[in-house]
Amino acid sequence: MRSVSLCRFWSFAAAALVAGTAPRALPAQGPDVNATPAMLRDAYLDNMKEVETKVVGLAEAFPQEKYSWRPMAGVRSVSEVLMHIASEHYIYMPTTLGYTPPADLNMGAGREALAALEKVSAKADVIRHLKAAFAYQRSVLEGADAKLASGKVTSFGHEQSVSAFFTDYIADQHEHLGQLIAYARMNGVVPPWSKKPS
C-alpha cells in the first residue's frame, strides 16, 4: 500500500475514463446493524467474486509486453499492481486473522514475501498467483467463524469492528481495480466486461 493518495487518484481517473463499469452502488444506509460477522464475511466474499473476475480479466487482457509498463517512475507497474493484489489475499488479510501464507508459496514471510511477490512478472505466473490468492483468502475466511465471532479484529496494530475491517478491504480492492482500469485505458487495453458484443 505504497501511496493511498496515488491509489485514490487512479480510482478517480478510472471512474472518469470508464463511467458505467463501477461495481454496484452501496446502499445509502450503513451495513445492517443486525448482520452477524458470518453474514458480513459472506457479503465480502460475494463482492470479491466480482473483483476477482475483473482483476483476472484485466490480467489476461494485458499483453505480456505491457506488464512492465508504469505511468511514471516510482509507481507500481502493471505486474506489480496485480501481484500487490495477490499479496493482500495471500498475506495481509489472512495474517490479520492469525493465519500464515499458504505453505506452498515458498517466498519467505512478512516483507520478504511481499517483495518477492511483487517481482513476479511473467503473465502466466501472475494470473496463476491471482487465482490462487483469491482462493486462499476465500478458504481462510470460510474457516474463520470462530475468529470473527467476537465482532472485532486487530488490523495493522489497531482494533476495529469486523464490519469496518471488511469495508476497508472492499474499498482497497476497488481502488486497485480502478488503478488497473486506468492503466488499461492508457495502454489501449479494453476491459473485457466493457467490450461490445460482436
Side-chain angles (χ1 to χ4, degrees):
M1 299 182 191
R2 192 177 296 172
S3 169
V4 173
S5 61
L6 188 58
C7 287
R8 287 203 169 93
F9 165 78
W10 286 115
S11 294
F12 288 121
L17 288 168
V18 287
T21 64
R24 291 178 302 278
L26 295 174
Q29 73 277 11
D32 182 349
V33 293
N34 297 315
T36 65
M39 290 165 65
L40 293 169
R41 182 266 324 274
D42 292 346
Y44 171 82
L45 287 174
D46 282 346
N47 191 285
M48 286 304 103
K49 284 180 190 173
E50 181 179 359
V51 171
E52 178 180 5
T53 297
K54 289 184 174 180
V55 167
V56 171
L58 285 168
E60 291 170 340
F62 272 102
Q64 174 67 68
E65 63 268 19
K66 293 294 186 180
Y67 266 52
S68 60
W69 182 89
R70 66 185 78 238
M72 64 187 77
V75 178
R76 287 186 177 104
S77 67
V78 170
S79 66
E80 288 167 347
V81 173
L82 291 166
M83 290 308 298
H84 178 72
I85 292 170
S87 74
E88 291 185 323
H89 295 278
Y90 272 145
I91 299 170
Y92 285 121
M93 169 75 82
T95 300
T96 297
L97 297 174
Y99 292 83
T100 58
D104 61 353
L105 191 56
N106 296 323
M107 290 194 174
R111 294 189 185 281
E112 177 187 358
L114 296 173
L117 280 167
E118 285 200 12
K119 289 179 183 170
V120 175
S121 59
K123 180 173 178 173
D125 292 336
V126 169
I127 292 169
R128 177 177 55 81
H129 275 296
L130 281 171
K131 291 177 179 178
F134 276 100
Y136 181 67
Q137 181 190 229
R138 190 178 311 114
S139 70
V140 164
L141 287 172
E142 287 173 347
D145 282 349
K147 293 182 183 293
L148 296 172
S150 71
K152 302 281 185 185
V153 296
T154 301
S155 179
F156 296 102
H158 68 279
E159 188 179 78
Q160 63 182 158
S161 70
V162 168
S163 176
F165 175 63
F166 285 131
T167 299
D168 286 351
Y169 268 89
I170 286 172
D172 177 72
Q173 292 299 292
H174 283 282
E175 284 182 0
H176 290 309
L177 174 58
Q179 181 180 11
L180 286 169
I181 292 168
Y183 278 27
R185 293 297 192 178
M186 293 169 77
N187 282 281
V189 174
V190 179
W193 62 89
S194 66
K195 287 183 177 176
K196 294 179 181 175
S198 53

